[in-house]
Amino acid sequence: MMNSTEIAKIAGVSRSTVSRVINNYSNVSEETREKVLRVIKEHEYVPHASARMLAGSQNKVIGLFIIDLIHEEVGLKNRITKSPYYLEFTSSVIETASEMDYLVLVHIIHSVAGYEKIKESFYNKTISGGIFIGQNDDDESIKTIIDRGYKVVLLDQSIRPEDATYNQCMIVNADNYNGAYCATKYLIDKKHKQIAHITGGTVKFSSKDRIRGYKKALEDAGIEVNKNLIVNSEFVENAGYEAAKKLFNGNSEFSAIFASNDKIAFGAIKAIQERGLKVPDDISVIGFDDIESSKYFNPPLTSMKMKLGEMADIATKSIVASIEGETKPSINVVPVSLVERESCGILQ
Amino acid sequence: MMNSTEIAKIAGVSRSTVSRVINNYSNVSEETREKVLRVIKEHEYVPHASARMLAGSQNKVIGLFIIDLIHEEVGLKNRITKSPYYLEFTSSVIETASEMDYLVLVHIIHSVAGYEKIKESFYNKTISGGIFIGQNDDDESIKTIIDRGYKVVLLDQSIRPEDATYNQCMIVNADNYNGAYCATKYLIDKKHKQIAHITGGTVKFSSKDRIRGYKKALEDAGIEVNKNLIVNSEFVENAGYEAAKKLFNGNSEFSAIFASNDKIAFGAIKAIQERGLKVPDDISVIGFDDIESSKYFNPPLTSMKMKLGEMADIATKSIVASIEGETKPSINVVPVSLVERESCGILQ
DNA sequence: TTGTAAGCGTTATCAT
DNA sequence: ATGATAACGCTTACAA
């Protein structure tokens, strides 16, 4: 096999010179450089990545950790598959990284056991930094990694200026609070007063922040928050379906639902329709995320669009900059926007 | 930083013994093993991946190359994002690999320049094998890699027993031919005789094979193939839209369309509806792939479902087995199945 | 500008 | 069962 010694021999120079050429050092005569380059090309020589790393150069690999914890009883393999939400983010990370000459090692974590592997990837130097998405807010395992001094970008993490850990990493969030506020306000502007909210639970920051936005919008409009109209759920279709049924079985009337994400909205609409009601004629529904299926849905779903591509871009650029030692901790909040379709109507 | 020398020192043994423990060799006394293990755990020591590799052990990383060549004039970033088709495959590969203790380095290739990077990953030993998806049939660049003796799994590659290269790699295909046959036959059984086909072009194996299946089904039913009813396109929505318009502007009547994938079907249906026609009342449409949006589409799209998860599973297990030196070249054809929804009707 | 030699953290070979 | 030592292929002082 080809190695730098071989190349050096053929080119009639020393290994150090070959190394200099490869790393584009200036202290090489044009003549030698060209000669070496020619030999390299001719023999299709590519330096051994592990050897380079061992000898001291940073590796250009970032880890992308998609966390999708599954309750054991569910046991669904590939649940992430059901979540198109991550695709755009993931592919954007890969694209951006690729442009910056970085590679992306993607991990999908379903089990607590999988958490162990995360540390390994950092400790054994397989990656130079990591981007986390899907984890619960204020995750202890991840904090350990940050505390160890590894480069980390967190998506969907609440801002806690008092927590030293979070002053050593980078955070990228969608503007969940204002997005939820806007979604709720949109319903209010359509004359709705009894607006239910199906949440995404209480462990994800995004869900918690959307609840806040929902309440604030109600409050600002002088509408009292009705606890019976807030039902906790999870970011999957079936949970939305069950939550809507619970809403119907409750004692409070409602003419609109703000679902914490589109999957929940899909499930809720299914429950509404099963009851013989129509969306938006009888009940209006607005979602969050604007996943691809939403525009094909019947009725096309009104939703809050996240700029996932942009968020991925920020995350990737941050981590790379951080690896290359150029930047400091940062907090980024990326705006969301309303995508108006046909699932909300004016209350008669 | 912790390394094997440190661990050895603390445990009071030599580096070789530490290495033996890590690699689970049998020639270590239980006593020593436990002592070393304890020290390792206590100090959270993880061996340096590059060092291990350099010293001879295989690395457990496989490359996943998602090829999505973009015509320059289009210039859309993240086009793969528009193709949920890959998400299920990608996540399944990662899941399965993870179960086998392998990591996945994902590459998305848009440009010819990106092709260079592929070779690099193999040559510099970053990966021990690669899975390719989305490439054109009979891709020369990839053949070079196979010829060099690297482990490769190809998705969507035509079977060419006469080509030595393809006897050195593994191939995983969906049963496009029978799937297309079945889709067309489904339409024929619904009394359609004038069945158009919007193809996915002539460079992807899947598209070519679907054309074959379509023609054969017609033939078997005694229906003559009408070239005017076959229009080439691409696996994206807008191409389907344009193709359908071309069909309407042609001289041949048709009552049904077999679209080479669901995105094309979406585009075609849009064109049909813009013409004031209804699906399935006026024109029936069947797709292929059964992507997630299809069940939400209006009307819900009848389609041929690929077992992407299973294909990913086979691909991953094949590449791992091959890396670990256990298997030989293979060809796998995974069946597809009809998912009947509401986009096809019986011709009156 | 170029070459020499040490070192990166493992594993493998050979002794003991 | 354990330890010493030589690779593995590169980068990087240090010398020349």
Side-chain angles (χ1 to χ4, degrees):
Chain A
M1 204 44 220
M2 265 305 154
N3 57 26
S4 68
T5 310
E6 284 295 309
I7 298 293
K9 208 175 290 175
I10 298 171
V13 297
S14 71
R15 287 184 331 192
S16 0
T17 300
V18 173
S19 177
R20 287 187 187 104
V21 170
I22 287 168
N23 295 292
N24 234 299
Y25 284 17
S26 54
N27 53 348
V28 182
S29 74
E30 261 321 299
E31 194 184 8
T32 336
R33 183 187 304 279
E34 275 173 26
K35 186 170 55 184
V36 173
L37 245 22
R38 202 167 337 109
V39 177
I40 287 178
K41 188 155 208 173
E42 188 180 333
H43 294 266
E44 288 189 289
Y45 163 69
V46 179
H48 194 298
S50 296
R52 301 187 80 171
M53 242 219 106
L54 191 56
S57 49
Q58 266 290 359
N59 80 351
K60 298 199 164 203
V61 180
I62 67 188
L64 172 59
F65 299 92
I66 300 174
I67 305 189
D68 183 42
L69 255 28
I70 299 185
H71 306 296
E72 284 194 12
E73 67 276 14
V74 181
L76 267 180
K77 200 185 157 187
N78 297 342
R79 209 184 62 170
I80 197 79
T81 305
K82 312 295 177 205
S83 188
Y85 163 84
Y86 292 104
L87 175 61
E88 187 175 352
F89 184 80
T90 303
S91 63
S92 296
V93 167
I94 297 172
E95 306 266 3
T96 306
S98 172
E99 280 168 17
M100 307 178 78
D101 210 30
Y102 272 69
L103 259 23
V104 181
L105 207 40
V106 184
H107 304 66
I108 297 178
I109 289 124
H110 285 317
S111 62
V112 183
Y115 260 79
E116 285 311 307
K117 302 276 184 180
I118 302 183
K119 284 190 195 168
E120 257 188 52
S121 288
F122 281 94
Y123 293 1
N124 76 185
K125 306 281 191 294
T126 299
I127 57 178
S128 297
I131 298 176
F132 289 85
I133 182 169
Q135 75 286 356
N136 291 343
D137 195 23
D138 202 30
D139 184 299
E140 282 301 331
S141 266
I142 298 175
K143 287 176 81 168
T144 311
I145 293 171
I146 300 170
D147 288 337
R148 286 276 156 78
Y150 292 101
K151 320 281 190 178
V152 167
V153 170
L154 250 26
L155 271 94
D156 201 19
Q157 163 63 49
S158 63
I159 318 298
R160 304 167 181 266
E162 78 285 3
D163 191 327
T165 300
Y166 298 119
N167 297 320
Q168 298 165 232
C169 70
M170 293 147 289
I171 296 178
V172 181
N173 288 333
D175 194 349
N176 296 298
Y177 175 76
N178 284 312
Y181 186 97
C182 166
T184 311
K185 176 107 182 355
Y186 175 77
L187 259 12
I188 294 170
D189 288 347
K190 286 197 178 301
K191 318 273 191 227
H192 293 277
K193 293 211 172 340
Q194 296 162 309
I195 302 172
H197 179 37
I198 304 179
T199 83
T202 53
V203 291
K204 298 270 193 282
F205 171 58
S206 44
S207 175
K208 293 191 286 185
D209 230 27
R210 286 170 197 176
I211 297 173
R212 272 184 57 226
Y214 158 80
K215 287 182 176 169
K216 187 63 161 59
L218 253 30
E219 200 177 287
D220 284 359
I223 302 174
E224 202 175 341
V225 173
N226 177 350
K227 281 192 178 158
N228 296 322
L229 288 183
I230 301 179
V231 20
N232 282 325
S233 131
E234 256 187 289
F235 284 137
V236 292
E237 184 167 341
N238 195 52
Y241 174 77
E242 296 297 338
K245 288 212 292 195
K246 201 178 286 179
L247 235 22
F248 281 123
N249 294 331
N251 311 312
S252 300
E253 302 274 302
F254 58 94
S255 63
I257 298 176
F258 163 40
S260 198
N261 84 349
D262 289 1
K263 284 288 187 174
I264 292 177
F266 290 174
I269 290 174
K270 186 176 162 209
I272 293 170
Q273 289 170 166
E274 275 185 8
R275 241 184 133 82
L277 266 22
K278 278 191 158 30
V279 176
D281 309 30
D282 301 310
I283 295 182
S284 292
V285 178
I286 186 168
F288 207 113
D289 284 1
D290 188 34
I291 61 178
E292 184 178 33
S293 296
S294 299
K295 68 165 176 281
Y296 299 125
F297 201 78
N298 185 14
L301 187 72
T302 294
S303 185
M304 300 303 303
K305 186 181 199 63
M306 285 200 265
K307 298 178 181 168
L308 279 176
E310 189 174 317
M311 291 168 68
D313 222 60
I314 295 174
T316 311
K317 284 175 177 158
S318 299
I319 200 75
V320 169
S322 166
I323 289 169
E324 298 181 348
E326 290 167 23
T327 44
K328 306 117 198 68
S330 64
I331 292 169
N332 307 272
V333 179
V334 182
V336 301
S337 57
L338 177 73
V339 178
E340 203 167 1
R341 285 195 275 250
E342 301 160 32
S343 61
C344 299
I346 297 174
L347 185 67
Q348 306 302 339
Chain B
M1 202 44 218
M2 267 304 154
N3 57 26
S4 68
T5 311
E6 283 297 307
I7 298 293
K9 208 174 292 174
I10 298 170
V13 297
S14 70
R15 286 179 319 174
S16 337
T17 301
V18 173
S19 176
R20 286 184 188 106
V21 170
I22 287 168
N23 295 291
N24 234 297
Y25 284 15
S26 54
N27 53 348
V28 182
S29 75
E30 260 322 298
E31 196 184 6
T32 330
R33 183 186 305 279
E34 276 174 25
K35 186 171 54 186
V36 174
L37 245 21
R38 203 168 339 108
V39 178
I40 287 178
K41 188 154 207 173
E42 190 179 333
H43 294 263
E44 288 191 287
Y45 161 70
V46 179
H48 195 298
S50 295
R52 302 187 81 171
M53 242 219 107
L54 190 55
S57 49
Q58 267 290 358
N59 79 352
K60 297 197 165 206
V61 180
I62 68 187
L64 172 58
F65 300 93
I66 300 174
I67 304 188
D68 183 41
L69 255 27
I70 298 183
H71 306 296
E72 283 193 15
E73 68 273 17
V74 182
L76 266 180
K77 201 186 158 190
N78 297 341
R79 207 184 66 171
I80 197 81
T81 305
K82 311 294 175 208
S83 188
Y85 163 86
Y86 291 105
L87 174 62
E88 187 175 352
F89 184 80
T90 303
S91 64
S92 294
V93 167
I94 297 172
E95 305 267 3
T96 306
S98 172
E99 280 168 18
M100 307 178 80
D101 211 29
Y102 272 69
L103 260 24
V104 181
L105 207 40
V106 184
H107 305 66
I108 297 179
I109 290 124
H110 284 318
S111 62
V112 183
Y115 260 78
E116 285 311 306
K117 301 276 183 179
I118 301 183
K119 283 190 194 167
E120 254 188 53
S121 287
F122 281 94
Y123 294 1
N124 77 185
K125 305 281 191 294
T126 299
I127 57 178
S128 297
I131 299 175
F132 289 84
I133 182 168
Q135 75 287 358
N136 290 344
D137 194 24
D138 202 30
D139 183 297
E140 282 302 332
S141 265
I142 298 175
K143 287 176 82 168
T144 311
I145 293 171
I146 301 171
D147 287 338
R148 285 275 156 76
Y150 291 101
K151 319 282 188 177
V152 166
V153 170
L154 251 26
L155 271 94
D156 200 20
Q157 162 62 48
S158 65
I159 318 297
R160 305 167 183 265
E162 77 286 2
D163 190 327
T165 300
Y166 297 119
N167 296 321
Q168 296 165 232
C169 70
M170 293 147 291
I171 296 177
V172 181
N173 287 334
D175 194 349
N176 296 298
Y177 175 76
N178 284 311
Y181 186 98
C182 167
T184 311
K185 176 108 180 352
Y186 174 77
L187 258 13
I188 294 170
D189 288 347
K190 288 199 176 299
K191 318 273 190 228
H192 294 276
K193 293 210 170 344
Q194 293 162 312
I195 303 173
H197 180 35
I198 303 179
T199 83
T202 54
V203 289
K204 298 271 193 280
F205 169 58
S206 44
S207 175
K208 293 191 286 185
D209 230 29
R210 287 171 196 174
I211 296 172
R212 271 185 56 227
Y214 159 80
K215 287 182 177 170
K216 186 63 161 55
L218 253 32
E219 200 177 287
D220 284 0
I223 302 174
E224 203 175 340
V225 172
N226 177 350
K227 281 191 179 161
N228 295 323
L229 287 182
I230 301 179
V231 22
N232 281 326
S233 129
E234 254 189 291
F235 285 138
V236 291
E237 185 167 340
N238 194 52
Y241 174 77
E242 295 299 336
K245 287 213 292 197
K246 200 178 287 178
L247 234 24
F248 281 123
N249 294 332
N251 311 314
S252 300
E253 300 275 301
F254 58 95
S255 63
I257 297 177
F258 164 38
S260 197
N261 83 350
D262 289 1
K263 284 289 187 175
I264 291 177
F266 290 173
I269 290 175
K270 186 177 162 207
I272 292 169
Q273 289 171 163
E274 275 185 9
R275 243 184 130 81
L277 267 21
K278 278 191 158 28
V279 177
D281 310 31
D282 300 309
I283 294 183
S284 292
V285 178
I286 186 168
F288 207 112
D289 284 1
D290 188 34
I291 62 177
E292 186 179 30
S293 296
S294 299
K295 68 165 176 282
Y296 298 123
F297 201 78
N298 187 12
L301 187 71
T302 294
S303 185
M304 301 303 303
K305 187 181 198 62
M306 285 201 265
K307 298 178 180 168
L308 278 177
E310 189 174 317
M311 291 167 71
D313 221 61
I314 295 173
T316 312
K317 284 176 177 156
S318 298
I319 199 75
V320 169
S322 165
I323 289 169
E324 298 181 347
E326 289 167 22
T327 43
K328 304 120 201 64
S330 65
I331 291 169
N332 307 273
V333 179
V334 182
V336 300
S337 57
L338 177 73
V339 178
E340 204 167 359
R341 284 194 276 252
E342 301 160 31
S343 62
C344 300
I346 296 173
L347 184 67
Q348 304 304 338

